[in-house]
Amino acid sequence: MKYIKTLITTMALTAACTSVYIPSVEAGSSYRQAKTPLHLRQGASLEQPSIAVIPTGIYVTELSKVGTWSKVQYGTKIGYASTKYLLTDAQIGGKRMGKTLIANKNLPLRSTYAPGENQQARAAFEKMRLAAKKEGITLVAFSTYRSYAYQKALFDKYVARDGYEKASTYSAEPGKSEHQTGLAFDIGGADSSKYAMFSFTKTKEAKWLFANAHRYGFHLRYPSGKEAWTGYTYESWHYRYVGATLAARLKLSGLTMEEYFQLAPWKPVQVSSS
């Protein structure tokens, strides 16, 4: 009997780990994103004391509106924030799944969306960097937030050098880059000559990241063999901060964010040669 119970438990755990996880997204939730570091106040007035500061790029749940103020929930705290500093989905662009912002070739961000580097992502990276350092691994975030204008200049440079079709396999058009979210971190190691190079894949730093990054909330965004979904060639250095829970689920499932959230895969754009 004990053997049978153990066998059943083992089979259940195996099934749970190998099945495709279907995420539940809160239907009808009114989420808003902080445009700037924003005080959460006890009441709908500047004279009311601040009970917390909402970091830029963080989603809060909007419960109601009082004039030019929004009553919002931030974590376990409920208070009031100025509505004009809370961005809507339409102002951000991309696609929000729960509190996860998706930006890809099918879902561009607005040109005006400029959150800067995400503070939570930076804090998570620093924690990961220190953990890696204890194991003799050097991690460097050599490229994080990029504005729409900077991404445009970068993409245009690559198109001029390699042509549109080739450039679009390794660089994002403006608005379609995850770097604009402030949540994408290009990570390298001690050898800067391997930054954003395929040769980084074989380094000890790349191997450490592949095995451990999810523990700190980072997801390998453009994995090998998933080009048909993401539209980009394998980038062993490009990690997206999604939080520890989602990162663990993505790691366990082996899915891209497009697959996990059941979004449409990328479709090649036919460029006329005439």
Side-chain angles (χ1 to χ4, degrees):
M1 181 63 72
K2 184 178 180 181
Y3 170 77
I4 293 175
K5 287 182 178 179
T6 302
L7 180 61
I8 292 173
T9 301
T10 302
M11 291 174 65
L13 288 171
T14 302
C17 291
T18 56
S19 61
V20 174
Y21 180 83
I22 306 300
S24 60
V25 178
E26 301 90 332
S29 295
S30 183
Y31 288 127
R32 303 287 291 272
Q33 190 185 101
K35 182 179 181 180
T36 184
L38 189 57
H39 284 285
L40 182 68
R41 300 187 180 277
Q42 283 186 357
S45 168
L46 288 174
E47 285 70 40
Q48 291 290 323
S50 175
I51 57 177
V53 176
I54 306 167
T56 302
I58 298 301
Y59 280 104
V60 296
T61 305
E62 185 178 59
L63 304 174
S64 61
K65 289 184 179 179
V66 180
T68 60
W69 292 81
S70 294
K71 184 178 182 180
V72 301
Q73 181 170 348
Y74 168 52
T76 59
K77 295 181 173 65
I78 294 178
Y80 294 81
S82 178
T83 302
K84 69 177 180 178
Y85 296 115
L86 292 171
L87 296 173
T88 64
D89 290 342
Q91 290 171 317
I92 296 168
K95 186 177 182 65
R96 177 181 54 76
M97 303 299 290
K99 291 186 179 181
T100 300
L101 178 60
I102 309 292
N104 62 22
K105 289 188 174 185
N106 297 330
L107 302 167
L109 300 164
R110 300 294 185 192
S111 62
T112 52
Y113 181 59
E117 184 182 272
N118 185 279
Q119 294 179 21
Q120 286 188 336
R122 170 54 70 172
F125 172 78
E126 290 301 322
K127 184 178 180 181
M128 180 170 68
R129 182 183 66 81
L130 292 175
K133 186 178 180 181
K134 292 179 180 178
E135 297 183 38
I137 301 294
T138 298
L139 297 181
V140 179
F142 63 87
S143 182
T144 60
Y145 171 70
R146 298 176 194 162
S147 67
Y148 182 96
Y150 180 79
Q151 186 64 31
K152 183 179 187 306
L154 196 63
F155 186 73
D156 287 348
K157 181 182 74 172
Y158 293 142
V159 170
R161 185 185 70 187
D162 297 328
Y164 175 84
E165 290 189 25
K166 184 176 180 181
S168 63
T169 65
Y170 64 83
S171 180
E173 294 182 66
K176 300 178 181 181
S177 171
E178 278 203 324
H179 285 283
Q180 192 182 335
T181 67
L183 295 162
F185 278 51
D186 283 346
I187 305 172
D191 185 355
S192 61
S193 70
K194 297 184 186 297
Y195 287 2
M197 301 294 288
F198 186 76
S199 56
F200 177 69
T201 306
K202 296 182 179 180
T203 65
K204 62 181 181 180
E205 293 95 341
K207 293 175 182 178
W208 190 95
L209 283 167
F210 185 79
N212 296 284
H214 65 285
R215 305 177 193 276
Y216 302 91
F218 286 92
H219 164 60
L220 179 63
R221 188 65 177 93
Y222 306 127
S224 178
K226 298 288 187 175
E227 292 82 0
W229 280 94
T230 66
Y232 296 108
T233 54
Y234 175 40
E235 294 188 358
S236 58
W237 58 88
H238 183 110
Y239 281 81
R240 159 68 193 270
Y241 180 72
V242 295
T245 299
L246 179 54
R249 289 173 176 170
L250 290 167
K251 180 69 173 177
L252 185 65
S253 67
L255 301 176
T256 61
M257 292 177 75
E258 284 77 15
E259 293 171 291
Y260 178 85
F261 285 114
Q262 299 181 332
L263 300 172
W266 165 75
K267 291 184 179 180
V269 176
Q270 298 298 322
V271 178
S272 175
S273 58
S274 59

